[in-house]
Amino acid sequence: MKKIKSLGLIVILLVASAFTVNLNSDAEGYEVGDYATDFSLMNINGKMVSMADFVDAKGFLVIFTCNSCPYAVAYEDRIIALDKKYKEMGIPVIAINPNNPEVQPKDSYEKMKVRAKEKGFTFPYLLDEGQKVFPQYGASRTPHVYLLNKRDGKYKVEYIGAIDDNYSDEASVETKYVEDAVDAMLAGKNIETKTTKAIGCTIKV
């Protein structure tokens, strides 16, 4: 009887262990070379937005950002500049707020609308309602950037990480990771730095 109980306990532990591994795997999100799934999220103008809406786009800069994080705020002007520079080349910015507004009230949908108007956002600013999209991507910080290359209706991940190497002082930036990655992708060249560590605030769940 003891042997049967022990065997049963071992089986339970093995199943639990396997389940835990699967959970961790899902939580890791996309890696460079993976294909991202499209989403449909509410924009600040009340309309739903998907990548499929951008018929002529060559790719996207999907940036997880928010109102409340000082790092995200420090990068707002640079995100606007990225959109203005690359949208005309077919690579628009799509910003997504991944934070739970019940945990961080500054990131509520209404305050997103206010912030976007104050800063003059030139790109969609979407709410990840229910926080379903950011775990798929594996975003962990705000801001966190994913450069996607649109090919045959699919969205290949080409770069993941930070915008540049100095969040606190734009004038002191030495390496513009995102710009270098987009320029290389558009030129059909190899992206030398495909991943960097995203520097910012943890996503509020």
Side-chain angles (χ1 to χ4, degrees):
M1 182 66 74
K2 288 183 178 180
K3 287 184 179 180
I4 294 174
K5 287 184 177 179
S6 298
L7 182 60
L9 180 60
I10 291 171
V11 171
I12 290 171
L13 289 173
L14 287 173
V15 171
S17 175
F19 184 64
T20 301
V21 170
N22 286 336
L23 279 177
N24 289 338
S25 177
D26 291 343
E28 289 175 0
Y30 299 132
E31 295 181 356
V32 169
D34 289 345
Y35 286 90
T37 303
D38 202 354
F39 45 74
S40 182
L41 298 174
M42 183 74 74
N43 193 10
I44 49 172
N45 62 4
K47 296 181 179 180
M48 303 300 289
V49 171
S50 299
M51 289 189 288
D53 297 333
F54 297 78
V55 179
D56 297 326
K58 298 176 182 178
F60 300 92
L61 283 169
V62 176
I63 304 179
F64 292 90
T65 187
C66 67
N67 297 343
S68 61
C69 174
Y71 294 87
V73 171
Y75 272 113
E76 284 176 332
D77 288 338
R78 277 173 270 185
I79 293 172
I80 293 170
L82 284 170
D83 183 59
K84 287 182 177 179
K85 178 177 182 178
Y86 290 111
K87 182 161 53 182
E88 294 182 356
M89 302 181 194
I91 314 291
V93 165
I94 297 180
I96 300 175
N97 175 10
N99 284 343
N100 182 350
E102 293 183 5
V103 177
Q104 177 49 270
K106 291 181 180 179
D107 289 316
S108 70
Y109 180 68
E110 291 303 319
K111 291 189 176 180
M112 285 172 61
K113 291 194 287 186
V114 171
R115 186 61 183 170
K117 185 176 181 180
E118 288 175 347
K119 291 297 298 183
F121 284 176
T122 55
F123 44 81
Y125 188 24
L126 315 180
L127 176 64
D128 188 4
E129 189 172 6
Q131 298 185 291
K132 297 176 181 178
V133 173
F134 88 82
Q136 293 178 4
Y137 277 73
S140 61
R141 303 279 170 175
T142 51
H144 206 151
V145 182
Y146 292 76
L147 171 60
L148 308 182
N149 193 354
K150 182 181 175 183
R151 294 180 177 176
D152 301 321
K154 297 180 179 179
Y155 312 102
K156 186 179 180 182
V157 181
E158 300 282 6
Y159 169 82
I160 302 173
I163 291 173
D164 55 42
D165 64 358
N166 196 321
Y167 87 90
S168 62
D169 183 10
E170 184 178 1
S172 298
V173 169
E174 295 184 1
T175 306
K176 298 181 178 181
Y177 302 123
V178 167
E179 290 194 35
D180 290 347
V182 177
D183 290 343
M185 186 182 82
L186 288 173
K189 298 180 180 179
N190 180 59
I191 297 173
E192 292 186 4
T193 302
K194 298 179 186 293
T195 61
T196 57
K197 183 179 180 180
I199 304 298
C201 304
T202 57
I203 291 173
K204 305 300 184 289
V205 297

